[in-house]
Amino acid sequence: MRRQGNGANVAGGTGSQGAQNGYWLLAPTLAVMALGLAAPLGLVAVYSLKNQTGISLSEGWTLAQYGEVLGRASYRTLFWRSLGISGLVTLVTVLLAYPMAYFVAFKARRAKFVWLIALTIPFWTSYLLRVFAWKIILGFDGVINSGLMRLGLIDHPLTFLLYNPFSVVVTLAHAWAAFAILPIYVSLEKIDRSLLEAATDLGDGPLRRFLRVTLPLSMPGVIGAAVLIFVPTTGDYVTPTLVGGPAGSMIANVIEIQFGRIGNWPMGSALALVSMTAVALVAGAFVLLARWATARVR
Amino acid sequence: MAYLSIRQVSKAFGGPPVVDAVDLEVPQGRFFALLGPSGCGKTTLLRMIAGFETPDSGTIAIDGEVMNAIPPHLRPTNMVFQSYAIFPHLSVFDNIAYGLRKLRLPKNELKARVEAMLATVRLEGLSGRGAGQLSGGQRQRVALARALVRQPKLLLLDEPLAALDKRLREAMQVELRQLQRQVGITFLMVTHDQEEALSLADQVAVMNNGKILQVASPRELYERPNCREVADFIGEINFFHATVKAVDGDRVTVNGGLLGVVALPRANILFDAAVGDALLLAIRPEDIGFADAGLAGTLAASTFLGETTLFQVQVAGRSDPIVVSNYFDPPSKDVHLNFPPDMLIGLPES
């Protein structure tokens, strides 16, 4: 609050008036957040503490839903698979995005802007179309299979390409690439070039310099990219529905079924909240781990 | 045999040469300054010595070893960057130890060397500080310590004091000078500040347009500049067009225009002059005196500098004023100027 007052002070007016102006600027966002996020979330929390018989909710409060969510083995499998798949997606995406971001930040001299636009080209088509595109590429009669068969490299179509965790990881990694490239690019771009020269001057070859200066200083971008990808992909249900098959289905698919076909809203709510908590814990742990690792670099 | 030896080094960035066939010899254990206006090529020359730029032609040798093919991280040089380039993610200790880690020293020896260096630059007790918690002067000391702890053959300083305010800059000048004497490492500093170059360096090379104009001690640069550009760049000076009338023995008689016919010592003519040659007479403001007789003029402006005052004297038959420096104000606005012949120097008319 104090910080805001000070910030607004510079813009003009007295402190309290400035703070008030600041809140007015926030008001539209706050209203949307309250109505669109806080209220539904509260409702979900209430639902999760109820029991449902038929179509009527119980009067009292109960932790029965949570007991079942945490107790049932099939749910646990889905949780671990969701975290595993999105963890893998995060890893793959960040690893592939880093060299691209590095290239644009350090090697593309004049054409930086063109490169940045080019990297967002996949986003000019809809998410759904991109997922379908992967279905066509990876499918039984898909681009890869028919290509390999035409070349005579295989006799029967490969079946491990689609409807499993692998296809989910590939599709999600491609879909989220730009969300990883941009924050990493920004953090690389911000690095003062004289720091890299100083590292060279102090005896570091290119690899040591990268590990000791470039990488630690770009960690904020890497952490940002990782969180930005991990959080939404854990809860994604479009991609697993379309390319995942039974072996590649994730927790969001079950939540969708509970709210939809089965119509057990308390169960769906409890699953959603547990999933949110798990994502928050993993993301928090990751941030702490990355900070710790950065601090160890010398 | 010079310690740093630069021969016929040229560098262009797709235009006219920034460094143009430069020859330079720097002796060991001295404080050497490269002085010139911004854009004269001095920083490019320094970066070629460090290895960050490659010369288009010519050779750079340190201690007899040609450096051209050696990558920057293997050269026996270290640099103090203009921005200091302190690693923001490391503490003061780790910044200074940065260049020592590769040596895989025992832990206590590493610590001892860093601590000793911290003491040398008077930063004791700050080893745990983060880079963000340092003042400008402290950052500069860290940058110095980080470079010196590697005991380079040559320490390169790129405008090391430009980022500091005036008071701190003056204090650091004294310290930098003492530090160089203490560690005995050859310092090569690039600066555009002539006062800084004159007060710090044993020897100064004046550069302009990619060429080195003169290499000399500060006193010699000031008192005996070898051309108009050097004289103009180092401090205030007045020029008068003149022609040589006669050369006899140790005196040269010149027709000095407004100054009349003057006979000045032969040693004051800084080039090989013959009768009939055009030359440029130059004199420093502090060498011109106010007198009862002499060249008449009127006081146009004065600038109080504390110890002395700088006067602009307008003289008939000359467009730009003559600059005179004196401790006292002249009695009236109408003044007479006296030019002692021994203080005049003769430069080639360029």
Side-chain angles (χ1 to χ4, degrees):
Chain A
M1 188 165 166
R2 195 152 149 227
R3 212 187 260 168
Q4 252 193 3
N6 288 345
N9 241 346
V10 180
T14 61
S16 61
Q17 200 190 335
Q20 245 166 12
N21 288 343
Y23 284 126
W24 276 116
L25 288 172
L26 276 177
T29 322
L30 282 176
V32 171
M33 295 283 266
L35 285 172
L37 193 71
L41 201 62
L43 213 57
V44 166
V46 169
Y47 266 114
S48 73
L49 294 168
K50 298 281 183 184
N51 236 333
Q52 184 174 311
T53 34
I55 53 162
S56 55
L57 293 176
S58 65
E59 279 289 313
W61 307 97
T62 171
L63 286 171
Q65 309 299 336
Y66 288 99
E68 193 169 345
V69 166
L70 298 173
R72 208 194 274 184
S74 65
Y75 286 156
R76 273 196 310 242
T77 311
L78 276 177
F79 272 121
W80 284 120
R81 188 192 291 158
S82 301
L83 293 177
I85 285 179
S86 59
L88 201 59
V89 169
T90 307
L91 186 73
V92 168
T93 315
V94 168
L95 283 182
L96 289 177
Y98 201 100
M100 278 193 261
Y102 188 92
F103 171 81
V104 179
F106 289 106
K107 306 289 174 192
R109 291 192 173 184
R110 279 184 209 136
K112 258 180 202 173
F113 186 66
V114 177
W115 276 104
L116 285 177
I117 296 291
L119 289 171
T120 64
I121 284 179
F123 287 79
W124 298 4
T125 59
S126 92
Y127 177 55
L128 222 50
L129 282 180
R130 273 176 283 144
V131 180
F132 274 116
W134 277 107
K135 213 170 164 162
I136 292 167
I137 294 169
L138 300 172
F140 193 77
D141 303 324
V143 178
I144 293 180
N145 275 330
S146 53
L148 289 175
M149 278 170 64
R150 186 75 52 92
L151 288 170
L153 292 171
I154 50 172
D155 297 329
H156 306 287
L158 304 171
T159 50
F160 63 82
L161 291 176
L162 196 55
Y163 301 127
N164 56 29
F166 167 78
S167 53
V168 177
V169 169
V170 169
T171 308
L172 284 175
H174 172 248
W176 290 90
F179 288 90
I181 294 171
L182 293 177
I184 296 173
Y185 164 76
V186 169
S187 67
L188 285 170
E189 183 65 30
K190 260 189 359 198
I191 297 176
D192 183 353
R193 297 304 186 264
S194 69
L195 294 176
L196 304 180
E197 287 189 344
T200 304
D201 189 65
L202 293 166
D204 276 358
L207 182 64
R208 279 177 69 89
R209 179 183 76 185
F210 173 77
L211 293 175
R212 296 175 79 191
V213 179
T214 314
L215 188 59
L217 289 179
S218 65
M219 268 330 255
V222 172
I223 294 174
V227 172
L228 213 56
I229 293 165
F230 182 77
V231 172
T233 51
T234 316
D236 191 80
Y237 83 95
V238 175
T239 301
T241 305
L242 292 174
V243 301
S249 68
M250 288 162 71
I251 195 68
N253 298 114
V254 186
I255 297 175
E256 192 244 329
I257 290 169
Q258 293 292 346
F259 275 102
R261 237 178 303 157
I262 295 179
N264 187 350
W265 285 31
M267 191 55 174
S269 301
L271 279 167
L273 286 178
V274 171
S275 154
M276 268 180 71
T277 313
V279 169
L281 286 177
V282 173
F286 178 74
V287 171
L288 289 180
L289 185 77
R291 280 221 190 116
W292 175 81
T294 312
R296 305 271 308 165
V297 174
R298 287 176 178 214
Chain B
M1 179 71 201
Y3 198 57
L4 166 69
S5 169
I6 295 173
R7 291 205 197 290
Q8 290 297 303
V9 164
S10 295
K11 176 75 182 178
F13 295 102
V18 178
V19 173
D20 193 1
V22 161
D23 284 305
L24 185 66
E25 312 267 278
V26 175
Q28 184 171 10
R30 308 295 290 279
F31 202 131
F32 196 96
L34 264 176
L35 173 66
S38 44
C40 73
K42 59 192 192 299
T43 299
T44 304
L45 188 58
L46 193 79
R47 290 174 58 81
M48 284 195 283
I49 298 167
F52 296 130
E53 311 281 354
T54 26
D56 295 338
S57 61
T59 56
I60 294 170
I62 297 169
D63 201 10
E65 196 186 346
V66 176
M67 288 289 135
N68 291 44
I70 296 178
H73 67 281
L74 299 177
R75 292 196 184 194
T77 59
N78 280 113
M79 183 132 145
V80 174
F81 291 83
Q82 188 173 1
S83 61
Y84 306 144
I86 306 297
F87 299 119
H89 57 302
L90 299 178
S91 67
V92 167
F93 184 95
D94 286 329
N95 260 285
I96 297 172
Y98 192 96
L100 296 177
R101 300 268 179 205
K102 219 178 177 178
L103 306 179
R104 307 217 167 276
L105 302 170
K107 220 174 186 179
N108 51 352
E109 196 191 328
L110 177 83
K111 191 161 189 276
R113 277 177 73 169
V114 173
E115 297 283 339
M117 197 31 86
L118 277 167
T120 308
V121 298
R122 302 202 296 152
L123 280 178
E124 299 103 324
L126 289 186
S127 66
R129 284 266 179 104
Q133 301 161 282
L134 299 174
S135 69
Q138 288 168 337
R139 295 172 76 81
Q140 209 234 10
R141 287 158 203 255
V142 173
L144 270 169
R146 187 177 68 178
L148 284 173
V149 80
R150 281 171 57 85
Q151 297 170 331
K153 287 186 172 174
L154 191 61
L155 183 78
L156 307 169
L157 303 108
D158 185 7
E159 304 267 5
L161 305 175
L164 305 178
D165 62 59
K166 193 176 186 313
R167 279 183 76 99
L168 194 55
R169 193 161 62 225
E170 281 164 2
M172 281 308 291
Q173 276 183 13
V174 177
E175 273 192 48
L176 208 53
R177 184 72 260 228
Q178 282 172 346
L179 186 65
Q180 195 274 329
R181 295 230 169 99
Q182 189 186 337
V183 297
I185 289 171
T186 312
F187 279 30
L188 176 57
M189 174 179 77
V190 150
T191 180
H192 67 272
D193 183 337
Q194 43 109 359
E195 185 205 332
E196 194 172 295
L198 297 192
S199 59
L200 275 171
D202 299 309
Q203 266 203 312
V204 181
V206 182
M207 246 185 121
N208 200 13
N209 293 325
K211 286 186 180 297
I212 287 184
L213 303 173
Q214 188 174 8
V215 182
S217 69
R219 177 170 288 273
E220 199 181 339
L221 273 187
Y222 190 79
E223 292 177 351
R224 300 173 66 84
N226 68 354
C227 64
R228 182 184 184 139
E229 279 165 296
V230 172
D232 218 6
F233 192 64
I234 313 274
E236 288 276 357
I237 199 156
N238 300 287
F239 294 112
F240 301 89
H241 296 287
T243 40
V244 180
K245 264 185 85 173
V247 181
D248 37 15
D250 55 356
R251 288 265 151 185
V252 175
T253 312
V254 300
N255 192 344
L258 288 172
L259 302 185
V261 175
V262 212
L264 54 153
R266 179 96 191 244
N268 283 17
I269 309 286
L270 304 175
F271 68 108
D272 209 11
V275 176
D277 277 358
L279 86 166
L280 211 54
L281 287 179
I283 186 163
R284 295 283 178 192
E286 62 271 24
D287 294 331
I288 304 174
F290 291 119
D292 297 331
L295 185 62
T298 41
L299 217 53
S302 64
T303 314
F304 180 64
L305 297 177
E307 202 178 342
T308 60
T309 305
L310 217 55
F311 302 96
Q312 317 269 331
V313 180
Q314 207 66 54
V315 174
R318 183 185 162 96
S319 55
D320 37 328
I322 295 171
V323 184
V324 180
S325 151
N326 207 325
Y327 295 108
F328 308 107
D329 287 359
S332 82
K333 279 205 169 277
D334 295 309
V335 293
H336 292 273
L337 300 177
N338 173 39
F339 299 84
D342 286 1
M343 295 301 173
L344 286 163
I345 52 173
L347 302 174
E349 182 89 64
S350 45

